[in-house]
Every structure is written in C-alpha cells, then in structure tokens.
Amino acid sequence: MDKTTVQELIQPTIKARNVDVYYGETHALMGIDLDIAPKTVTALIGPSGCGKSTFLRCINRMNDTIPSCRMTGKITLDGEDIYSKNIDVVQLRAKVGMVFQKANPFPKSIYDNVAYGPRIHGLAADDKDLDEIVFSSLQRSGLWNEVKDRLDKSGTALSGGQQQRLCIARTIAVNPEVILMDEPCSALDPIATAIIEELIADLKERFTIVIVTHSMQQAARLSQKTAFFHLGKILEFGDTSEIFTNPRVEKTKDYITGRYG
Amino acid sequence: MPHNHILSSFDDELNDLRARIVKMGNLVEKQYQNALRALEHKDKILAEKVRKADRIIDVMDAEIEKQAIQMIALRSPVADDLRDIVSTIKISAGLERIGDYAKNLAKRVSVIRHEEAISVSSAQIGQMVTEISGMISDVIDAYITRDIDKAIDVWQRDKNVDSIYNSLFRELLTYMMENPQYITPATHLLFIAKNIERAGDHATNIAELVYYINEGELLALKRPKDDSSNYAEIDAN
C-alpha cells in the first residue's frame, strides 16, 4: 500500500469546513477547508495578515474572547463540532493547548507553572501523582535537567528559550491532544530555536501539532504538511516536501522563494 | 519568466550563474569546431590549443560549483530556485565532460596518420561535430530562455548522433577488415566517434535538467537510444 492511501485511511484529527471569520466588517478568513492529520506537524505559512493566526485561534476558540469576531462554518475535533453548544470551552482548551510567540510563564515557581493545569482540571489524585505529572512534563519538554534542582524558583527567572519550554511543559501537563503554536521561536536565538524544534519533532509522536511560522526554513524543517494562506484563503495545501520543491500555485512559489507576487 | 526576487542581489547572483553557463557552453562548442579543424588539417598547433583550453573549462566548472554551493548555503533556496541552482551544478559538470571529449579528440590528432581512412571518415566525424555543436548551443539557449520545447527537441536529436555513429562504426570495421594498416587510425577514429556519441548523451542529460528546472518533474518520455554498435558483430570469414 503506498503512502497516500495509508494517509487517506487515517481520520483527520481536525476538520475545518467552509470556515469564514469576520472581525467586524473585515472578512479575515474565506471558505477554509482543511484536514489536519493526527500526530503530524502541520505548518501554516503566508504573509502577515493572511489569516493564519486567526485560523489557528479558531481551533481552540481563542477568538471567542474578541467581541467583534464572528465565525461561520464548521470545525470538528475527532468528529465533534467544537462550536456546538454542548462544548465546555475550558475542557476544549485543555484538549487543544496553545503556545504563544512570547513565552508567558505565570509569576509562580517552575513547579507551580506546570502543576497549575493539572490542579484546576483535577488530573492528579494526590501530591505524589502531581509530582509525577510535573516531572514527566518537564522531562518531555526537555527542561528537566536544567531545572530539577530549582523547581521552587520563579519561572520568569529562566532564559527565553527555557521559558518557552516551560510553557510547552505547562501545555502538555494537562495531556492535550493538539498543540497549537503561534510563532513559538520568533523571539529566540538560533540555539534555543533548534532545541525547541527538536522538541517539536519529539512531541509529534504523541501530539498533533499545528504551527504558525514566518520562517520558511522552520516550516520546511519541522512540518510534514504545509498550508499556504493568502488574503484569507488557503491557496495550497500538501506535503511539505512537495510544497518546498515543486509548489503548484504561482503565488505559493513567489512567497516561499521571496519574489514579488 | 518568473517574478523578480524581493532581494535583488539574489537575482543578480542567479543571473551571474546563468551567464557563466552560457560562457562555458560557448567555449565547449568552440572546442569542437577547433578540434575538428585540427583533425581535418592535421594541425597539431591548433590541437594543442584545444588541449590547453580544456583547463579553462575545468576551472569554469569548479567556479560554478563553488558559487552554487555558496548560494545554497547563504540563500537557502527553495522550489524552482533550488531546482535551478542544483541543476546548474549538474549542467556545468555535464559541459565539463563534453569538453573533455573534445580534448580527447584533439589529443588523437597527432597519432592518426593514415590519409585514406581519415578522409572518408572525417566527413562523418564532421557531421557528428556539427550535430553536437548545435545541440550544445540549443540546450544552453533552452536553459537561458526556459524553453521546454527546445530542450525536448535537443533531447530527441541525440538519435541523429547515434545513427551517424552506428554507420561510421560499420564503415571503420570494414576498413580494418580490408587492410590491417587501417587498424591504428580506424581505432582512433572509433574512439573519437564514440566520444562524440557520449557527448551527445551528456547534452541529452542537460536537456532533461532544463526540463526538470521548469517543470519540477523528470522528463517522462522514453529516452532516445540508438547506439546499436553494442550489439554489432563481424563475420571474420
């Protein structure tokens, strides 16, 4: 059986159908259809203002917090409509975690930063259980060896790259299914970026990852699938290896090769 | 033609790389004209000039490769830019090989002595050189103008080179059977012809690369292969 047929048999984790988003009068997304496969890294690329972050924020209903924002269409997670009335948004955001451009640890200890989510969601039976979750999350985010002796120190005292990994540890502590990342490395130096990229490559064994990035090289290095957004539409979606060697759409080619479109 | 890059210095570098290929192609083409003239007129000085000029081609190839690798490292090209730069390295290497065959032709000028064998065969060698020169010039043209039709045309013309080679092969065998004195010059002429036939294969490769740069796919047609000398037999009786 060839690769594509296997891929077709796997049900996508996230399915977007005919998604339109408006900010007041502004039509930010138009007719977005996208299938996001489980346990893969999907990169959303495109020029500023193309709607890629808006789409990312639709997946865990972050746009609900913006009063002027209105969405039509349908997004499902494992077949369930995430905009249905029965959905508990807090539960949804535990299932679909998010990592932002600027690391935003709580002004609390490293331990409490990671323990926060499991505590409010009641994921730990006792203190020993909570320790277990915190330690394993820090290990999986590659931060354990650097912080194991100072778990009571403030999370904000860490370096930028460490703070971002702390935020990733905090996200995976509640055992999400999907991790959304909005330019997670744009404020980091190349070494910290490489460490996070290595981490993302590991995380995709357990999680479905959707990443917005302005770095073409990062999208090429990290993702298996790439969607190119332009003026609120997806112009091209496919295997990253194909998009970066032989894009089918002229606009995609112009964008990734740095040409005037 | 594709749009310009926002970073115009990248376009400048790409244009420079292409200009180098054109220069190299022109020189290789000229090598064949000169090598043929040296053969026809038994001009050893001209033959020596061809041999020396081959070193320039080698240096050009090394420089193109160096520049292309630098561009890959510094520009991180993708899509058609990446195909273009990687293929240019291969095109340069192909031209360098084609150039080697011209040098080899020139080398043999001083050892081919038998008048008769040369005069009858050199007309066909001349035809092969004309074919190969045209192929080089057209394939470089196709590379610069991104003209796929022209590339496919060059690709198909390889069979003309092969068919002249096959007929020359038979003819030289006949000479050798008729008169053992012809064996030495005819063997040299056979090598010359075989080399030009190989040069045709390299030109065909370049045509395939031009197609790949443009289309992002390999030329799917069946390759024109018409060198039947591999299967030739002679009846010694």
Side-chain angles (χ1 to χ4, degrees):
Chain A
M1 194 182 287
D2 69 46
K3 214 170 85 192
T4 43
T5 30
V6 173
Q7 277 174 355
E8 278 160 13
L9 287 174
I10 300 170
Q11 282 297 314
T13 299
I14 298 160
K15 258 192 194 176
R17 288 293 176 272
N18 204 19
V19 171
D20 278 48
V21 171
Y22 304 82
Y23 294 113
E25 295 295 301
T26 314
H27 199 170
L29 285 178
M30 295 162 224
I32 300 295
D33 289 330
L34 189 64
D35 284 357
I36 293 172
K39 297 187 172 63
T40 52
V41 180
T42 301
L44 312 182
I45 63 169
S48 294
C50 67
K52 56 194 188 301
S53 290
T54 296
F55 178 71
L56 192 76
R57 295 162 61 88
C58 287
I59 304 174
N60 69 347
R61 294 183 55 175
M62 289 288 284
N63 288 332
D64 290 10
T65 58
I66 301 169
S68 67
C69 185
R70 196 159 55 82
M71 193 201 102
T72 62
K74 195 171 176 182
I75 298 177
T76 61
L77 175 65
D78 298 324
E80 201 177 357
D81 182 354
I82 63 167
Y83 282 83
S84 128
K85 287 195 183 88
N86 316 325
I87 290 284
D88 175 353
V89 178
V90 176
Q91 288 302 324
L92 172 72
R93 288 182 193 149
K95 223 171 162 186
V96 184
M98 192 157 190
V99 176
F100 299 86
Q101 181 173 1
K102 198 170 176 312
N104 53 355
F106 303 132
K108 291 169 180 284
S109 72
I110 292 168
Y111 185 95
D112 286 340
N113 259 282
V114 185
Y116 182 84
R119 274 189 189 128
I120 60 164
H121 289 285
L123 297 181
D126 49 36
D127 285 355
K128 198 170 153 270
D129 208 14
L130 188 61
D131 282 354
E132 191 70 25
I133 294 173
V134 171
F135 298 166
S136 71
S137 301
L138 285 168
Q139 271 158 1
R140 274 197 256 147
S141 71
L143 199 56
W144 177 248
N145 286 335
E146 292 156 63
V147 301
K148 63 182 175 202
D149 302 322
R150 46 176 172 145
L151 293 175
D152 54 341
K153 295 281 187 306
S154 173
T156 53
L158 296 169
S159 74
Q162 288 171 328
Q163 286 189 20
Q164 196 59 297
R165 277 181 284 149
L166 180 61
C167 293
I168 291 172
R170 188 177 64 190
T171 305
I172 61 185
V174 294
N175 201 23
E177 186 179 346
V178 180
I179 304 175
L180 308 177
M181 298 185 164
D182 197 350
E183 296 191 58
C185 302
S186 61
L188 303 180
D189 71 40
I191 301 291
T193 298
I195 293 169
I196 301 265
E197 287 184 1
E198 174 68 11
L199 173 61
I200 292 171
D202 283 346
L203 291 175
K204 82 157 197 292
E205 303 298 321
R206 307 175 66 112
F207 307 103
T208 301
I209 295 169
V210 188
I211 181 169
V212 163
T213 176
H214 273 136
S215 161
M216 294 301 100
Q217 294 314 309
Q218 183 169 62
R221 282 192 301 264
L222 273 182
S223 69
Q224 290 75 53
K225 293 278 182 180
T226 297
F228 174 61
F229 282 70
H230 185 76
L231 300 175
K233 291 178 179 157
I234 291 180
L235 292 192
E236 191 164 359
F237 176 61
D239 290 339
T240 301
S241 56
E242 194 64 19
I243 297 260
F244 280 90
T245 53
N246 196 10
R248 302 286 158 185
V249 178
E250 190 76 10
K251 281 236 164 26
T252 316
K253 188 189 84 181
D254 284 346
Y255 181 67
I256 63 170
T257 57
R259 289 184 173 101
Y260 289 108
Chain B
M1 288 304 264
H3 297 116
N4 289 333
H5 289 90
I6 297 164
L7 269 171
S8 59
S9 58
F10 187 26
D11 279 328
D12 295 343
E13 285 176 19
L14 283 168
N15 288 334
D16 180 48
L17 199 62
R18 291 192 191 109
R20 284 169 188 256
I21 288 285
V22 174
K23 223 170 129 186
M24 193 175 175
N26 288 341
L27 187 52
V28 170
E29 203 190 320
K30 209 171 132 202
Q31 287 282 84
Y32 275 91
Q33 316 285 0
N34 284 342
L36 178 67
R37 253 181 44 219
L39 179 71
E40 285 171 341
H41 303 289
K42 293 189 170 301
D43 185 341
K44 287 184 189 169
I45 296 165
L46 186 57
E48 185 54 29
K49 205 179 134 192
V50 171
R51 290 174 65 177
K52 279 197 175 135
D54 186 61
R55 284 180 223 153
I56 302 170
I57 295 171
D58 292 352
V59 170
M60 286 172 128
D61 173 45
E63 280 173 354
I64 287 170
E65 187 182 306
K66 190 176 157 198
Q67 194 195 339
I69 286 173
Q70 214 169 64
M71 287 170 75
I72 292 170
L74 303 183
R75 302 286 186 186
S76 303
V78 292
D80 60 338
D81 293 335
L82 179 62
R83 299 199 303 266
D84 193 348
I85 295 171
V86 170
S87 299
T88 299
I89 297 176
K90 294 172 85 172
I91 289 171
S92 171
L95 285 174
E96 192 272 328
R97 289 298 299 171
I98 298 175
D100 282 347
Y101 294 131
K103 178 183 74 174
N104 188 272
L105 201 172
K107 258 187 188 171
R108 292 177 194 275
V109 165
S110 58
V111 288
I112 300 177
R113 291 214 176 77
H114 214 284
E115 288 296 337
E116 199 175 343
I118 296 173
S119 57
V120 282
S121 311
S122 72
Q124 295 190 63
I125 300 268
Q127 265 180 46
M128 285 180 89
V129 167
T130 309
E131 267 305 323
I132 194 74
S133 300
M135 284 170 77
I136 297 166
S137 138
D138 284 351
V139 84
I140 298 298
D141 225 37
Y143 166 75
I144 288 300
T145 56
R146 300 199 168 200
D147 183 341
I148 314 167
D149 293 336
K150 201 168 213 167
I152 293 175
D153 179 54
V154 170
W155 191 76
Q156 281 164 339
R157 270 150 61 190
D158 187 45
K159 61 179 184 294
N160 301 343
V161 178
D162 288 348
S163 85
I164 306 171
Y165 170 67
N166 288 330
S167 95
L168 186 60
F169 181 85
R170 277 169 232 282
E171 192 178 302
L172 288 167
L173 281 189
T174 316
Y175 274 111
M176 288 191 268
M177 283 189 289
E178 275 173 7
N179 185 348
Q181 280 189 317
Y182 286 152
I183 288 177
T184 305
T187 305
H188 282 296
L189 287 169
L190 260 186
F191 275 119
I192 287 172
K194 181 66 197 171
N195 283 340
I196 301 174
E197 189 271 322
R198 287 296 298 145
D201 292 343
H202 283 286
T204 309
N205 273 338
I206 296 176
E208 286 173 3
L209 288 163
V210 171
Y211 185 90
Y212 172 69
I213 294 172
N214 284 281
E215 301 297 294
E217 280 161 14
L218 303 175
L219 194 51
L221 307 168
K222 198 175 173 297
R223 187 161 181 166
K225 243 307 98 275
D226 209 19
D227 173 6
S228 60
S229 71
N230 295 340
Y231 313 106
E233 287 178 70
I234 33 169
D235 186 355
N237 304 312

PDB file of all heavy atoms in Angstrom, chain B residues 61-87:
ATOM      1  N   ASP B  61      34.054  25.180 -14.480  1.00  0.00           N
ATOM      2  CA  ASP B  61      33.171  24.225 -13.791  1.00  0.00           C
ATOM      3  C   ASP B  61      33.351  24.328 -12.281  1.00  0.00           C
ATOM      4  O   ASP B  61      32.368  24.401 -11.535  1.00  0.00           O
ATOM      5  CB  ASP B  61      33.471  22.801 -14.282  1.00  0.00           C
ATOM      6  CG  ASP B  61      32.704  21.746 -13.496  1.00  0.00           C
ATOM      7  OD1 ASP B  61      31.491  21.956 -13.265  1.00  0.00           O
ATOM      8  OD2 ASP B  61      33.303  20.717 -13.126  1.00  0.00           O
ATOM      9  N   ALA B  62      34.611  24.363 -11.838  1.00  0.00           N
ATOM     10  CA  ALA B  62      34.881  24.441 -10.396  1.00  0.00           C
ATOM     11  C   ALA B  62      34.303  25.727  -9.811  1.00  0.00           C
ATOM     12  O   ALA B  62      33.733  25.728  -8.716  1.00  0.00           O
ATOM     13  CB  ALA B  62      36.381  24.363 -10.150  1.00  0.00           C
ATOM     14  N   GLU B  63      34.408  26.829 -10.576  1.00  0.00           N
ATOM     15  CA  GLU B  63      33.897  28.111 -10.076  1.00  0.00           C
ATOM     16  C   GLU B  63      32.378  28.122  -9.988  1.00  0.00           C
ATOM     17  O   GLU B  63      31.791  28.658  -9.047  1.00  0.00           O
ATOM     18  CB  GLU B  63      34.384  29.254 -10.973  1.00  0.00           C
ATOM     19  CG  GLU B  63      35.811  29.662 -10.641  1.00  0.00           C
ATOM     20  CD  GLU B  63      36.371  30.670 -11.623  1.00  0.00           C
ATOM     21  OE1 GLU B  63      35.691  30.972 -12.642  1.00  0.00           O
ATOM     22  OE2 GLU B  63      37.499  31.147 -11.381  1.00  0.00           O
ATOM     23  N   ILE B  64      31.749  27.545 -11.005  1.00  0.00           N
ATOM     24  CA  ILE B  64      30.275  27.470 -10.986  1.00  0.00           C
ATOM     25  C   ILE B  64      29.812  26.652  -9.784  1.00  0.00           C
ATOM     26  O   ILE B  64      28.904  27.044  -9.051  1.00  0.00           O
ATOM     27  CB  ILE B  64      29.737  26.885 -12.312  1.00  0.00           C
ATOM     28  CG1 ILE B  64      29.875  27.926 -13.420  1.00  0.00           C
ATOM     29  CG2 ILE B  64      28.278  26.441 -12.169  1.00  0.00           C
ATOM     30  CD1 ILE B  64      29.616  27.401 -14.819  1.00  0.00           C
ATOM     31  N   GLU B  65      30.485  25.524  -9.568  1.00  0.00           N
ATOM     32  CA  GLU B  65      30.109  24.673  -8.436  1.00  0.00           C
ATOM     33  C   GLU B  65      30.273  25.420  -7.119  1.00  0.00           C
ATOM     34  O   GLU B  65      29.395  25.395  -6.258  1.00  0.00           O
ATOM     35  CB  GLU B  65      30.963  23.399  -8.445  1.00  0.00           C
ATOM     36  CG  GLU B  65      30.503  22.399  -7.396  1.00  0.00           C
ATOM     37  CD  GLU B  65      31.375  21.157  -7.355  1.00  0.00           C
ATOM     38  OE1 GLU B  65      31.546  20.527  -8.422  1.00  0.00           O
ATOM     39  OE2 GLU B  65      31.872  20.826  -6.270  1.00  0.00           O
ATOM     40  N   LYS B  66      31.392  26.132  -7.008  1.00  0.00           N
ATOM     41  CA  LYS B  66      31.662  26.877  -5.773  1.00  0.00           C
ATOM     42  C   LYS B  66      30.585  27.942  -5.539  1.00  0.00           C
ATOM     43  O   LYS B  66      30.042  28.074  -4.445  1.00  0.00           O
ATOM     44  CB  LYS B  66      33.044  27.527  -5.893  1.00  0.00           C
ATOM     45  CG  LYS B  66      33.555  28.120  -4.599  1.00  0.00           C
ATOM     46  CD  LYS B  66      34.967  28.659  -4.788  1.00  0.00           C
ATOM     47  CE  LYS B  66      35.265  29.708  -3.742  1.00  0.00           C
ATOM     48  NZ  LYS B  66      36.400  30.552  -4.116  1.00  0.00           N
ATOM     49  N   GLN B  67      30.275  28.683  -6.609  1.00  0.00           N
ATOM     50  CA  GLN B  67      29.273  29.741  -6.449  1.00  0.00           C
ATOM     51  C   GLN B  67      27.912  29.167  -6.099  1.00  0.00           C
ATOM     52  O   GLN B  67      27.179  29.704  -5.253  1.00  0.00           O
ATOM     53  CB  GLN B  67      29.181  30.579  -7.733  1.00  0.00           C
ATOM     54  CG  GLN B  67      28.411  31.887  -7.475  1.00  0.00           C
ATOM     55  CD  GLN B  67      27.979  32.579  -8.752  1.00  0.00           C
ATOM     56  OE1 GLN B  67      28.556  32.339  -9.816  1.00  0.00           O
ATOM     57  NE2 GLN B  67      26.963  33.416  -8.667  1.00  0.00           N
ATOM     58  N   ALA B  68      27.556  28.045  -6.747  1.00  0.00           N
ATOM     59  CA  ALA B  68      26.248  27.442  -6.496  1.00  0.00           C
ATOM     60  C   ALA B  68      26.144  26.950  -5.055  1.00  0.00           C
ATOM     61  O   ALA B  68      25.129  27.160  -4.391  1.00  0.00           O
ATOM     62  CB  ALA B  68      26.013  26.288  -7.476  1.00  0.00           C
ATOM     63  N   ILE B  69      27.225  26.334  -4.562  1.00  0.00           N
ATOM     64  CA  ILE B  69      27.202  25.832  -3.178  1.00  0.00           C
ATOM     65  C   ILE B  69      27.081  26.996  -2.200  1.00  0.00           C
ATOM     66  O   ILE B  69      26.341  26.942  -1.223  1.00  0.00           O
ATOM     67  CB  ILE B  69      28.455  24.963  -2.901  1.00  0.00           C
ATOM     68  CG1 ILE B  69      28.283  23.614  -3.610  1.00  0.00           C
ATOM     69  CG2 ILE B  69      28.675  24.762  -1.406  1.00  0.00           C
ATOM     70  CD1 ILE B  69      29.488  22.719  -3.581  1.00  0.00           C
ATOM     71  N   GLN B  70      27.803  28.067  -2.528  1.00  0.00           N
ATOM     72  CA  GLN B  70      27.707  29.259  -1.693  1.00  0.00           C
ATOM     73  C   GLN B  70      26.268  29.799  -1.656  1.00  0.00           C
ATOM     74  O   GLN B  70      25.753  30.166  -0.608  1.00  0.00           O
ATOM     75  CB  GLN B  70      28.633  30.319  -2.278  1.00  0.00           C
ATOM     76  CG  GLN B  70      29.261  31.203  -1.252  1.00  0.00           C
ATOM     77  CD  GLN B  70      30.363  32.033  -1.887  1.00  0.00           C
ATOM     78  OE1 GLN B  70      30.109  32.862  -2.761  1.00  0.00           O
ATOM     79  NE2 GLN B  70      31.587  31.798  -1.471  1.00  0.00           N
ATOM     80  N   MET B  71      25.621  29.813  -2.819  1.00  0.00           N
ATOM     81  CA  MET B  71      24.243  30.314  -2.882  1.00  0.00           C
ATOM     82  C   MET B  71      23.297  29.425  -2.079  1.00  0.00           C
ATOM     83  O   MET B  71      22.379  29.907  -1.421  1.00  0.00           O
ATOM     84  CB  MET B  71      23.779  30.421  -4.331  1.00  0.00           C
ATOM     85  CG  MET B  71      24.427  31.589  -5.060  1.00  0.00           C
ATOM     86  SD  MET B  71      24.107  31.538  -6.838  1.00  0.00           S
ATOM     87  CE  MET B  71      22.391  32.078  -6.877  1.00  0.00           C
ATOM     88  N   ILE B  72      23.525  28.113  -2.133  1.00  0.00           N
ATOM     89  CA  ILE B  72      22.669  27.210  -1.360  1.00  0.00           C
ATOM     90  C   ILE B  72      22.857  27.485   0.133  1.00  0.00           C
ATOM     91  O   ILE B  72      21.895  27.557   0.899  1.00  0.00           O
ATOM     92  CB  ILE B  72      22.981  25.730  -1.697  1.00  0.00           C
ATOM     93  CG1 ILE B  72      22.543  25.423  -3.133  1.00  0.00           C
ATOM     94  CG2 ILE B  72      22.282  24.784  -0.719  1.00  0.00           C
ATOM     95  CD1 ILE B  72      23.001  24.079  -3.654  1.00  0.00           C
ATOM     96  N   ALA B  73      24.121  27.683   0.543  1.00  0.00           N
ATOM     97  CA  ALA B  73      24.399  27.923   1.959  1.00  0.00           C
ATOM     98  C   ALA B  73      23.835  29.264   2.425  1.00  0.00           C
ATOM     99  O   ALA B  73      23.270  29.366   3.503  1.00  0.00           O
ATOM    100  CB  ALA B  73      25.901  27.868   2.210  1.00  0.00           C
ATOM    101  N   LEU B  74      24.002  30.289   1.612  1.00  0.00           N
ATOM    102  CA  LEU B  74      23.660  31.637   2.072  1.00  0.00           C
ATOM    103  C   LEU B  74      22.220  32.039   1.775  1.00  0.00           C
ATOM    104  O   LEU B  74      21.641  32.849   2.471  1.00  0.00           O
ATOM    105  CB  LEU B  74      24.617  32.666   1.457  1.00  0.00           C
ATOM    106  CG  LEU B  74      26.106  32.425   1.745  1.00  0.00           C
ATOM    107  CD1 LEU B  74      26.949  33.538   1.157  1.00  0.00           C
ATOM    108  CD2 LEU B  74      26.360  32.316   3.245  1.00  0.00           C
ATOM    109  N   ARG B  75      21.647  31.502   0.698  1.00  0.00           N
ATOM    110  CA  ARG B  75      20.298  31.940   0.301  1.00  0.00           C
ATOM    111  C   ARG B  75      19.209  30.961   0.700  1.00  0.00           C
ATOM    112  O   ARG B  75      18.034  31.284   0.569  1.00  0.00           O
ATOM    113  CB  ARG B  75      20.247  32.146  -1.216  1.00  0.00           C
ATOM    114  CG  ARG B  75      21.260  33.153  -1.761  1.00  0.00           C
ATOM    115  CD  ARG B  75      20.850  34.559  -1.426  1.00  0.00           C
ATOM    116  NE  ARG B  75      21.730  35.528  -2.046  1.00  0.00           N
ATOM    117  CZ  ARG B  75      21.639  36.833  -1.797  1.00  0.00           C
ATOM    118  NH1 ARG B  75      20.728  37.298  -0.978  1.00  0.00           N
ATOM    119  NH2 ARG B  75      22.470  37.662  -2.380  1.00  0.00           N
ATOM    120  N   SER B  76      19.585  29.747   1.093  1.00  0.00           N
ATOM    121  CA  SER B  76      18.584  28.715   1.360  1.00  0.00           C
ATOM    122  C   SER B  76      17.474  28.696   0.307  1.00  0.00           C
ATOM    123  O   SER B  76      16.311  28.912   0.635  1.00  0.00           O
ATOM    124  CB  SER B  76      17.955  28.905   2.738  1.00  0.00           C
ATOM    125  OG  SER B  76      18.944  28.909   3.717  1.00  0.00           O
ATOM    126  N   PRO B  77      17.832  28.448  -0.955  1.00  0.00           N
ATOM    127  CA  PRO B  77      16.809  28.499  -1.996  1.00  0.00           C
ATOM    128  C   PRO B  77      15.819  27.336  -1.868  1.00  0.00           C
ATOM    129  O   PRO B  77      16.174  26.273  -1.362  1.00  0.00           O
ATOM    130  CB  PRO B  77      17.624  28.352  -3.285  1.00  0.00           C
ATOM    131  CG  PRO B  77      18.849  27.606  -2.880  1.00  0.00           C
ATOM    132  CD  PRO B  77      19.151  28.047  -1.473  1.00  0.00           C
ATOM    133  N   VAL B  78      14.587  27.578  -2.313  1.00  0.00           N
ATOM    134  CA  VAL B  78      13.574  26.518  -2.358  1.00  0.00           C
ATOM    135  C   VAL B  78      12.904  26.533  -3.729  1.00  0.00           C
ATOM    136  O   VAL B  78      13.175  27.407  -4.551  1.00  0.00           O
ATOM    137  CB  VAL B  78      12.497  26.693  -1.259  1.00  0.00           C
ATOM    138  CG1 VAL B  78      13.084  26.480   0.113  1.00  0.00           C
ATOM    139  CG2 VAL B  78      11.840  28.060  -1.344  1.00  0.00           C
ATOM    140  N   ALA B  79      12.043  25.554  -3.950  1.00  0.00           N
ATOM    141  CA  ALA B  79      11.226  25.453  -5.162  1.00  0.00           C
ATOM    142  C   ALA B  79      12.067  25.597  -6.433  1.00  0.00           C
ATOM    143  O   ALA B  79      13.138  25.009  -6.521  1.00  0.00           O
ATOM    144  CB  ALA B  79      10.074  26.463  -5.117  1.00  0.00           C
ATOM    145  N   ASP B  80      11.608  26.407  -7.397  1.00  0.00           N
ATOM    146  CA  ASP B  80      12.316  26.465  -8.679  1.00  0.00           C
ATOM    147  C   ASP B  80      13.736  27.033  -8.536  1.00  0.00           C
ATOM    148  O   ASP B  80      14.629  26.668  -9.283  1.00  0.00           O
ATOM    149  CB  ASP B  80      11.509  27.230  -9.742  1.00  0.00           C
ATOM    150  CG  ASP B  80      11.225  28.658  -9.350  1.00  0.00           C
ATOM    151  OD1 ASP B  80      11.259  28.953  -8.140  1.00  0.00           O
ATOM    152  OD2 ASP B  80      10.964  29.482 -10.240  1.00  0.00           O
ATOM    153  N   ASP B  81      13.944  27.900  -7.534  1.00  0.00           N
ATOM    154  CA  ASP B  81      15.299  28.413  -7.307  1.00  0.00           C
ATOM    155  C   ASP B  81      16.247  27.276  -6.942  1.00  0.00           C
ATOM    156  O   ASP B  81      17.376  27.202  -7.427  1.00  0.00           O
ATOM    157  CB  ASP B  81      15.312  29.440  -6.170  1.00  0.00           C
ATOM    158  CG  ASP B  81      14.556  30.706  -6.544  1.00  0.00           C
ATOM    159  OD1 ASP B  81      14.450  30.994  -7.758  1.00  0.00           O
ATOM    160  OD2 ASP B  81      14.067  31.393  -5.630  1.00  0.00           O
ATOM    161  N   LEU B  82      15.767  26.388  -6.077  1.00  0.00           N
ATOM    162  CA  LEU B  82      16.596  25.252  -5.647  1.00  0.00           C
ATOM    163  C   LEU B  82      16.859  24.323  -6.829  1.00  0.00           C
ATOM    164  O   LEU B  82      17.996  23.907  -7.064  1.00  0.00           O
ATOM    165  CB  LEU B  82      15.894  24.492  -4.519  1.00  0.00           C
ATOM    166  CG  LEU B  82      16.630  23.261  -3.990  1.00  0.00           C
ATOM    167  CD1 LEU B  82      17.968  23.629  -3.376  1.00  0.00           C
ATOM    168  CD2 LEU B  82      15.783  22.529  -2.956  1.00  0.00           C
ATOM    169  N   ARG B  83      15.795  24.027  -7.582  1.00  0.00           N
ATOM    170  CA  ARG B  83      15.972  23.150  -8.749  1.00  0.00           C
ATOM    171  C   ARG B  83      16.960  23.767  -9.726  1.00  0.00           C
ATOM    172  O   ARG B  83      17.808  23.090 -10.306  1.00  0.00           O
ATOM    173  CB  ARG B  83      14.620  22.921  -9.446  1.00  0.00           C
ATOM    174  CG  ARG B  83      13.573  22.251  -8.580  1.00  0.00           C
ATOM    175  CD  ARG B  83      12.478  21.648  -9.435  1.00  0.00           C
ATOM    176  NE  ARG B  83      11.817  22.597 -10.308  1.00  0.00           N
ATOM    177  CZ  ARG B  83      10.696  23.250  -9.996  1.00  0.00           C
ATOM    178  NH1 ARG B  83      10.106  23.047  -8.831  1.00  0.00           N
ATOM    179  NH2 ARG B  83      10.158  24.096 -10.848  1.00  0.00           N
ATOM    180  N   ASP B  84      16.840  25.079  -9.900  1.00  0.00           N
ATOM    181  CA  ASP B  84      17.695  25.809 -10.825  1.00  0.00           C
ATOM    182  C   ASP B  84      19.170  25.690 -10.418  1.00  0.00           C
ATOM    183  O   ASP B  84      20.023  25.306 -11.219  1.00  0.00           O
ATOM    184  CB  ASP B  84      17.245  27.286 -10.833  1.00  0.00           C
ATOM    185  CG  ASP B  84      17.841  28.072 -11.988  1.00  0.00           C
ATOM    186  OD1 ASP B  84      18.761  27.544 -12.645  1.00  0.00           O
ATOM    187  OD2 ASP B  84      17.398  29.201 -12.229  1.00  0.00           O
ATOM    188  N   ILE B  85      19.446  25.971  -9.151  1.00  0.00           N
ATOM    189  CA  ILE B  85      20.840  26.006  -8.700  1.00  0.00           C
ATOM    190  C   ILE B  85      21.454  24.606  -8.687  1.00  0.00           C
ATOM    191  O   ILE B  85      22.564  24.402  -9.170  1.00  0.00           O
ATOM    192  CB  ILE B  85      20.944  26.686  -7.315  1.00  0.00           C
ATOM    193  CG1 ILE B  85      20.527  28.157  -7.429  1.00  0.00           C
ATOM    194  CG2 ILE B  85      22.363  26.593  -6.764  1.00  0.00           C
ATOM    195  CD1 ILE B  85      20.377  28.872  -6.112  1.00  0.00           C
ATOM    196  N   VAL B  86      20.705  23.636  -8.163  1.00  0.00           N
ATOM    197  CA  VAL B  86      21.237  22.266  -8.120  1.00  0.00           C
ATOM    198  C   VAL B  86      21.456  21.743  -9.548  1.00  0.00           C
ATOM    199  O   VAL B  86      22.485  21.141  -9.860  1.00  0.00           O
ATOM    200  CB  VAL B  86      20.307  21.330  -7.322  1.00  0.00           C
ATOM    201  CG1 VAL B  86      20.731  19.878  -7.481  1.00  0.00           C
ATOM    202  CG2 VAL B  86      20.311  21.705  -5.845  1.00  0.00           C
ATOM    203  N   SER B  87      20.499  22.012 -10.428  1.00  0.00           N
ATOM    204  CA  SER B  87      20.638  21.537 -11.803  1.00  0.00           C
ATOM    205  C   SER B  87      21.792  22.233 -12.510  1.00  0.00           C
ATOM    206  O   SER B  87      22.454  21.639 -13.361  1.00  0.00           O
ATOM    207  CB  SER B  87      19.339  21.767 -12.587  1.00  0.00           C
ATOM    208  OG  SER B  87      18.289  21.053 -11.981  1.00  0.00           O
TER     209      SER B  87
END
